């Protein structure tokens, strides 16, 4: 990645530093999705079960975790995997010394898993980490036989670095609960996606309602700004227990709730694979959304 050249390229936003994608680092023919949402809202659970659903449909799937916690893929692999940054450090950042098996691991039903990791807190840019990960995958020709790539991204997209996966994605998915905080965060994510869509192919796919009995506030917000709900996962104990068991819902014992949730993930995968329209959503100003979601 390199800094944006202001005279030749329109900035994504109004920030003082813009980061652009090297055209050579573009992901090939795979369908690429970036999953965003407030911290703790269930992005990794959503990403892993969605990866599993795509794999159950017969697609070759790669999931890339973009969080220093490197816990995006552990329900697929059953353990915490070393990060790309970890393994690069062992070879003093000489990427040519790495082998694919050093940083990519096979998980449930053949899903390939990579944890990009991140710089130590307060010392670097998440965008650099994402860029180095994609470079490695391309150098080792690991994207050529991949049908679906899912980026599971940190919750905060204020920094342009954390928005870096949007430079690779075809569609962005927002995970939100039916509450003020996650809808407020979703509004900021919509603004970030719109900023990146000025210079990149990424567009909004829609919203996954998670950990919520109802969707009334999500649906009201969607109607107001031009979003669409793609799926709804209730606050099921089976989903919580699947994380504790380090497995996907597709490996949990059958029950009516589990079967229904699996089918919802499979349906979400079908919708995304068949292609979603590019949504033209307009984020609210912070004060406006505060008034919109508040009660008298």
């Amino acid at each position: 990645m390199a800094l944006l050249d202001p005279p030749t390229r329109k900035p994504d936003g109004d920030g003082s530093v813009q980061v652009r994608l090297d055209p050579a680092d573009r992901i090939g023919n795979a369908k690429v999705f970036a999953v965003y949402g407030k911290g703790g809202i269930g992005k990794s659970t959503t990403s892993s079960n969605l990866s599993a659903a795509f794999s159950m449909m017969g697609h070759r799937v790669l999931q890339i975790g973009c969080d220093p916690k490197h816990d995006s893929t552990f329900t697929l692999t059953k353990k915490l995997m070393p990060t790309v940054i970890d393994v690069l450090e062992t070879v003093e950042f000489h990427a040519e010394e790495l082998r694919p098996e050093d940083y990519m691991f096979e998980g449930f039903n053949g899903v390939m898993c990579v944890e990009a990791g991140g710089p130590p807190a307060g010392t670097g840019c998440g965008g650099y980490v994402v860029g180095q990960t994609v470079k490695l995958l391309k150098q080792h020709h690991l994207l050529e036989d991949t049908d679906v790539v899912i980026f599971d991204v940190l919750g905060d997209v204020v920094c342009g670095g954390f928005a870096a996966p949007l430079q690779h994605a075809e569609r962005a998915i927002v995970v939100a609960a039916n509450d003020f905080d996650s809808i407020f965060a979703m509004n900021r994510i919509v603004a970030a996606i719109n900023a990146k869509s000025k210079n990149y192919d990424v567009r909004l796919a829609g919203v996954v309602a998670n950990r919520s009995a109802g969707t009334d506030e999500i649906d009201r917000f969607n109607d107001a700004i031009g979003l669409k709900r793609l799926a709804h996962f209730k606050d099921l104990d089976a989903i919580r227990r699947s994380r504790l068991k380090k497995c996907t819902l597709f490996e949990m014992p059958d029950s009516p709730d589990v079967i229904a949730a699996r089918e919802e993930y499979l349906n979400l995968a079908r919708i995304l694979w068949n292609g979603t329209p590019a949504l033209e959503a307009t984020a609210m100003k912070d004060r406006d959304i505060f008034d919109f979601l508040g009660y008298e």
Side-chain angles (χ1 to χ4, degrees):
M1 288 197 178
L3 293 184
L4 180 73
D5 182 3
T8 61
R9 193 174 178 87
K10 184 179 179 181
D12 299 341
D14 298 326
S16 59
V17 176
Q18 298 289 310
V19 179
R20 68 176 173 86
L21 177 68
D22 184 335
D25 293 338
R26 290 189 180 278
I27 292 175
N29 296 321
K31 293 179 182 288
V32 186
F33 305 101
V35 180
Y36 281 87
K38 183 179 79 71
I41 201 60
K43 294 181 298 299
S44 294
T45 299
T46 299
S47 297
S48 295
N49 282 298
L50 182 57
S51 290
F54 275 122
S55 77
M56 298 294 285
M57 293 165 58
H59 300 306
R60 298 163 299 181
V61 186
L62 169 65
Q63 182 168 320
I64 303 175
C66 304
D67 191 320
K69 297 197 307 295
H70 62 105
D71 63 346
S72 171
T73 61
F74 83 89
T75 57
L76 293 163
T77 61
K78 315 309 178 208
K79 57 184 177 180
L80 287 178
M81 297 293 103
T83 71
V84 168
I85 293 300
D86 287 339
V87 296
L88 279 171
E89 191 173 23
T90 65
V91 294
E92 298 182 342
F93 291 86
H94 294 294
E96 68 277 4
E97 297 183 20
L98 292 182
R99 302 164 301 169
E101 56 266 33
D102 293 328
Y103 60 88
M104 189 168 78
F105 305 91
E106 186 170 345
F108 169 75
N109 204 39
V111 175
M112 302 310 297
C113 302
V114 174
E115 293 285 353
T123 64
C125 175
Y128 167 79
V129 175
V130 172
Q132 289 299 109
T133 298
V134 174
K135 280 180 184 292
L136 271 176
L137 291 168
K138 288 185 74 71
Q139 286 168 8
H140 289 134
H141 306 286
L142 298 174
L143 296 172
E144 295 170 5
D145 296 322
T146 302
D147 301 319
V148 177
V149 177
I150 295 178
F151 285 97
D152 174 18
V153 194
L154 273 175
D156 191 347
V157 293
V158 173
C159 166
F162 292 138
L166 297 174
Q167 298 173 341
H168 298 282
E170 170 188 341
R171 289 289 184 266
I173 303 155
V174 187
V175 182
N178 200 47
D179 60 40
F180 179 94
D181 288 339
S182 59
I183 296 174
F184 192 92
M186 174 163 60
N187 188 64
R188 294 179 67 84
I189 292 164
V190 168
I193 294 165
N194 286 342
K196 288 298 177 189
S197 69
K198 294 177 184 178
N199 288 317
Y200 300 100
D201 295 334
V202 66
R203 297 295 185 271
L204 279 157
V207 182
V208 171
N210 196 43
R211 294 182 178 175
S212 301
T215 63
D216 54 321
E217 291 301 316
I218 289 175
D219 294 338
R220 192 166 70 91
F221 174 75
N222 287 350
D223 290 342
I225 74 164
L227 277 179
K228 177 183 178 181
R229 176 161 48 86
L230 299 170
H232 177 204
F233 299 97
K234 297 182 180 181
D235 192 7
L236 299 178
D237 190 57
I239 296 177
R240 180 190 65 83
R241 287 188 286 109
S242 72
R243 294 283 288 178
L244 292 173
K245 289 178 174 289
K246 303 180 181 65
C247 70
T248 68
L249 277 174
F250 293 87
E251 302 162 88
M252 291 289 285
D254 286 349
S255 72
D257 283 345
V258 168
I259 292 170
R262 287 179 197 149
E263 185 52 42
E264 186 77 344
Y265 273 113
L266 287 166
N267 187 56
L268 175 59
R270 293 185 199 105
I271 289 170
L272 294 171
W273 179 259
N274 291 331
T276 61
L279 299 180
E280 298 290 338
T282 303
M284 295 183 184
K285 298 293 185 182
D286 285 352
R287 184 177 296 278
D288 293 337
I289 191 172
F290 188 87
D291 293 339
F292 180 83
L293 292 173
Y295 288 95
E296 295 182 357

